[in-house]
Structure formats: structure tokens, C-alpha cells
Amino acid sequence: MIVQTFLFGLAAAFAEILGGSLIYFGKSWPRRAQETLLALGAGFILALVFLKLVPASIQAIGDAAMLYCVLGFATIHFFEHTIVGHFHFGEETHSDVMVSKVASVSAFSGMFVHAFFDGFTISIGMQFDFGIGILIFLAVLLHKFPEGLTIGSIVIAAGYSRKAVMMSTVGLAAATMLGVCTLFVFQGIGVEAIGAGFAFSAGVDVYVGASDLIPEINKSKDRIPPLVVFAGMILFYLSDRILESLVR
Ligand SMILES: [Zn+2]
Ligand SMILES: [Zn+2]
């Protein structure tokens, strides 16, 4: 289980670095492709939360699950939008607000916490239930490439060098792996605490889906990306069905 969890973490971290590399090499990526990936990720993660994570956490620890869920939601909100001034997913094009290097450093720290919890959700998901762990991994993987692109474009918009782009992207990849390492903390604790951590991660994923990804898609100039959200939900359903026949 430890090996699989680490491999999943590495794959997510790699996708992040891949996204940042695009900015590093100065390659432009069609806006449509970026929005499609974000939309697929949003639909997938939200369907996962409501169809699997919330029911499973309530089943595990009862009504208290919802408290941890709100706690997870609040934690990400605090780090991404309370202490950080300007932050949103997708390519950073507002170089005017990013002129201040402080703004980009604060955006990076917000994303660092986000990336840590990406790793954390994979880790706790795997501890909780192997099949659900795989689904959480897929949900994280889907938005990791745009995430790398996001941090890379923030750093460039703030006027930093390409080397800084690579360093910040690797930093987020490392944060993801750090989150995966919470695995060792959870090894010795009871089922009850794992249930609480799992419910917390459900709240984290609500935030990622509904506050990080959905607003970015709704800003789109055309109506296709919002429609792709439904495709993401269907993609979740199919992945769940396939896993069900394989794992269980
Ligand atoms: Zn911006
Ligand atoms: Zn993420």
C-alpha cells in the first residue's frame, strides 16, 4: 500500500512539473485545452465528493464527519484566499497585480498548502479504502497539470526568471510528496482518526472543485467548458464502475 501511494504521489508531482515546464520552455498552450482539463477535473472531483467521500465518511464516523468536512473546506479557504491576496487557478494573465513580488510569493505559499493537501488526500484515501484512494488520485491527477501551469504563469507574471518557474513548480511537487508522507503519521493511528482525516479531505476536495476549478471554468468566453464539467462527472461514474469490477 505504501508503494502504491508513493507511486500515485509521484505521478501527481510529475504532472505538476510537466505543467510548469510548459511555462519554463515558453510554450503556449491553447486556452481551450486548459479549460477542458480544468472542467473535467472539476466535474470529476465534485462527483467524487458527493457520491463517495461524504457518504463514506458519514458511514465511518457518523455525523461528526460533517464537522471535519467543514474544517477541511475552511482550511483551504484560509490559506488560499484569506491570507493570500490574489489567487486563482488557470494561467495568470494579470501582470498588473503580480508586479509586486510579494503577491506572487503569497500566491505560492497558498498553492504550497493546497499541493500539500493534494498529497494528503491521496494518502488518507489510500489508508481508508484502496478503491476510493485510486479515485482521489485520479481527481488530483486531472488538475495537477493546470496547477503546474498556474504557478509557472504566476511566477513569470511577477517578473521572475525561468529558473524561478522551475524551482516553484518543483516546490509544489515536493509539497505534494510531503502530503503523501503523512502516510507514516497515519500508520499507527486508529480507524476513528483515519475516518476524521478522510472526512477532512472530503471538505478539501469540495473546495478544490467548487472554489478553485468551477469559477475558472465559468469565466470562460464560450459555453463549452461549463458543459465539459458534466463530462467530468460521467468520467467519474465510469471510472468508479470500472474500479468496482476490478478491485472489489
Ligand atoms: Zn490573476
Ligand atoms: Zn491541486
Side-chain angles (χ1 to χ4, degrees):
M1 187 77 84
I2 293 178
V3 177
Q4 284 102 320
T5 309
F6 262 94
L7 286 178
F8 286 168
L10 281 174
F14 181 71
E16 184 128 63
I17 292 174
L18 221 57
S21 305
L22 216 65
I23 303 285
Y24 178 81
F25 291 113
K27 292 263 187 299
S28 67
W29 205 40
R31 176 103 207 136
R32 169 61 66 81
Q34 194 189 137
E35 286 172 347
T36 304
L37 208 49
L38 285 173
L40 271 181
F44 191 100
I45 205 166
L46 287 171
L48 167 72
V49 164
F50 294 118
L51 298 176
K52 282 272 159 186
L53 306 191
V54 168
S57 14
I58 294 176
Q59 207 170 32
I61 55 168
D63 286 349
M66 294 326 285
L67 180 68
Y68 291 105
C69 203
V70 172
L71 218 60
F73 188 93
T75 302
I76 303 299
H77 180 67
F78 178 75
F79 284 107
E80 277 188 12
H81 292 284
T82 311
I83 54 167
V84 171
H86 178 88
F87 173 75
H88 53 85
F89 249 72
E91 197 160 355
E92 183 58 78
T93 46
H94 312 112
S95 44
D96 48 326
V97 277
M98 279 298 160
V99 189
S100 132
K101 295 210 151 95
V102 179
S104 68
V105 171
S106 93
F108 172 79
S109 48
M111 287 202 86
F112 190 89
V113 175
H114 168 114
F116 170 82
F117 281 109
D118 277 341
F120 172 86
T121 56
I122 294 175
S123 160
I124 194 85
M126 291 291 282
Q127 294 277 302
F128 186 84
D129 178 285
F130 185 65
I132 292 180
I134 294 176
L135 291 167
I136 294 180
F137 159 67
L138 290 174
V140 170
L141 187 67
L142 274 172
H143 80 263
K144 270 301 190 190
F145 183 81
E147 192 175 295
L149 196 93
T150 300
I151 189 62
S153 60
I154 287 175
V155 171
I156 280 289
Y160 283 105
S161 66
R162 283 166 58 227
K163 193 178 155 210
V165 167
M166 209 21 110
M167 274 164 58
S168 55
T169 313
V170 170
L172 291 193
T176 309
M177 291 314 291
L178 208 65
V180 167
C181 287
T182 53
L183 184 81
F184 298 112
V185 180
F186 284 113
Q187 283 281 299
I189 61 168
V191 188
E192 197 69 2
I194 293 202
F198 182 74
F200 181 93
S201 73
V204 167
D205 283 350
V206 176
Y207 197 86
V208 172
S211 181
D212 283 336
L213 306 179
I214 290 276
E216 204 51 33
I217 299 148
N218 292 347
K219 266 192 268 173
S220 171
K221 300 269 187 297
D222 65 80
R223 294 295 89 199
I224 302 297
L227 275 174
V228 176
V229 172
F230 300 113
M233 291 173 169
I234 294 168
L235 183 66
F236 166 79
Y237 178 77
L238 294 177
S239 314
D240 187 34
R241 280 279 88 92
I242 293 168
L243 272 174
E244 203 119 316
S245 61
L246 291 177
V247 184
R248 278 152 215 166

